[in-house]
Amino acid sequence: MNTLTKETKQEVDGKREVTEVKPQVKVYSPNVDVYETENSLLFRVEMPGVDETSVGITIEKDQLLLEGKFQIPTVERGQVRLAEYREGNYLRRFTIGKAVDSDNAIAKIKNGILELTLPKIEPKKTKIEIRNS
Amino acid sequence: MLFRILDPQTKANQFWRDFDRLNDELTRSILDDQFGSSSHFPPVNVYTKEDEALVTCLLPGVDIDQIDINVKDHILSIHGKKKMEELAEGTEVHRREIFNGEFHRRLELPFRVNQDQVSAKYVNGVLNIHLPRREEDKPKKVSISLG
């Protein structure tokens, strides 16, 4: 787990530049199980507090990026007595060694667990005949 | 010339006592690592208002019928079991980080709870437990009249 500080720059009246420092955002590295079957790769990711609208999956070349935003609902909760976790972002990156069909990837999220299935692409088999010269 | 007489038996006993203590500490530390630091799993937040307490607990991927919540006076106990998903035959495991097994948390609240009115909801892997304060323990406002 680590913490990031984000800074944004705003222009005021077209002249002065003001630097606004946003509060620190906690970045969590979620627990992941990775399985492989004959036809696919399966990722199970723990993201409690995340639903289908706040999760992001990106596949670029052999890089898989799993993201999620966890926000504590702004209901009046009263005085904080004990805080073992706070809101933040989930972030996990993987390099996929096998060729996958990202267009047919299936993702679902249930009870705070993201399940991603990536179908494998079978490598093309080309038989080369050897001729006698 | 003085010679200090060492009792070999006493030294040996001391050695084994130290060995047992170290062994015990090591075993506990390994078990804590293996079971996801049992003392802080699942992680909880506790909020209190004048008339109720709210406990939120991160418990992703647990069946609600596997969660047991008990309240007695001002003690809340959350106990349950996280079962591993069954895998199809021939599945290869590349990485396994998600905790599976039994978990237990016991929390002390700052006031006694009305056991009949406790309610719990499980949303997106987060367990929310509302614990209303006992009526007789709620702070009472005393009006002062001019004498």
Side-chain angles (χ1 to χ4, degrees):
Chain A
M1 269 188 252
N2 51 22
T3 312
L4 296 179
T5 308
K6 285 186 179 174
E7 289 187 7
T8 54
K9 284 185 178 176
Q10 275 184 339
E11 215 170 276
V12 181
D13 298 328
K15 289 174 187 173
R16 282 175 57 203
E17 219 177 43
V18 176
T19 304
E20 182 198 326
V21 180
K22 280 191 175 179
Q24 287 188 327
V25 178
K26 195 97 177 161
V27 178
Y28 295 102
S29 173
N31 291 328
V32 180
D33 284 357
V34 185
Y35 305 107
E36 184 177 349
T37 63
E38 199 184 335
N39 306 312
S40 59
L41 292 175
L42 173 69
F43 290 80
R44 299 188 75 242
V45 192
E46 269 191 338
M47 288 190 183
V50 169
D51 60 14
E52 59 277 5
T53 60
S54 50
V55 72
I57 304 163
T58 317
I59 303 167
E60 203 180 333
K61 291 180 185 168
D62 62 345
Q63 293 290 310
L64 168 67
L65 183 67
L66 303 162
E67 292 169 288
K69 198 171 185 180
F70 170 39
Q71 279 179 310
I72 297 173
T74 51
V75 183
E76 201 200 322
R77 285 160 180 265
Q79 192 188 344
V80 181
R81 293 275 178 173
L82 175 68
E84 290 179 349
Y85 67 88
R86 61 183 164 117
E87 60 183 17
N89 296 332
Y90 295 108
L91 185 71
R92 199 74 197 259
R93 201 186 296 270
F94 289 93
T95 302
I96 309 166
K98 294 203 164 49
V100 290
D101 178 8
S102 53
D103 293 337
N104 287 307
I106 301 165
K108 51 187 177 177
I109 191 156
K110 192 189 168 195
N111 294 341
I113 301 269
L114 168 72
E115 207 169 278
L116 172 69
T117 309
L118 298 172
K120 287 196 277 189
I121 300 172
E122 283 302 310
K124 275 185 184 175
K125 282 179 187 172
T126 317
K127 200 168 182 181
I128 300 163
E129 280 181 33
I130 304 166
R131 280 183 267 173
N132 286 324
S133 55
Chain B
M1 202 173 180
L2 285 171
F3 290 94
R4 180 178 276 180
I5 301 163
L6 295 171
D7 179 358
Q9 193 60 41
T10 311
K11 277 278 165 198
N13 285 344
Q14 183 61 44
F15 169 79
W16 285 115
R17 271 200 299 273
D18 288 347
F19 180 80
D20 283 347
R21 183 178 52 80
L22 284 169
N23 194 32
D24 184 45
E25 275 177 16
L26 183 67
T27 311
R28 269 185 298 163
S29 120
I30 290 169
L31 283 176
D32 270 357
D33 285 344
Q34 213 171 341
F35 297 108
S37 186
S38 55
S39 58
H40 286 98
F41 185 84
V44 293
N45 280 6
V46 181
Y47 309 88
T48 55
K49 285 199 276 188
E50 206 170 81
D51 55 350
E52 73 158 5
L54 171 66
V55 174
T56 61
C57 174
L58 299 185
L59 265 179
V62 181
D63 291 329
I64 49 167
D65 52 352
Q66 295 288 325
I67 308 170
D68 196 17
I69 301 165
N70 282 296
V71 185
K72 198 181 177 195
D73 293 333
H74 59 287
I75 303 291
L76 166 72
S77 159
I78 308 163
H79 176 255
K81 203 173 182 181
K82 205 172 163 191
K83 282 196 283 185
M84 196 185 288
E85 290 276 314
E86 280 185 28
L87 299 170
E89 209 177 310
T91 304
E92 202 181 327
V93 179
H94 287 297
R95 189 183 285 266
R96 186 168 272 166
E97 297 171 354
I98 296 176
F99 166 83
N100 288 285
E102 282 194 50
F103 56 86
H104 188 248
R105 281 306 299 260
R106 184 181 174 277
L107 296 163
E108 207 168 316
L109 300 165
F111 46 73
R112 292 187 299 168
V113 171
N114 184 348
Q115 282 157 272
D116 303 330
Q117 304 251 306
V118 174
S119 62
K121 263 188 188 176
Y122 184 62
V123 187
N124 296 331
V126 182
L127 180 68
N128 294 282
I129 311 166
H130 287 270
L131 303 139
R133 194 172 186 165
R134 272 195 203 178
E135 198 60 44
E136 60 266 36
D137 288 2
K138 283 182 187 172
K140 288 180 181 70
K141 205 171 182 179
V142 178
S143 55
I144 306 163
S145 57
L146 288 167

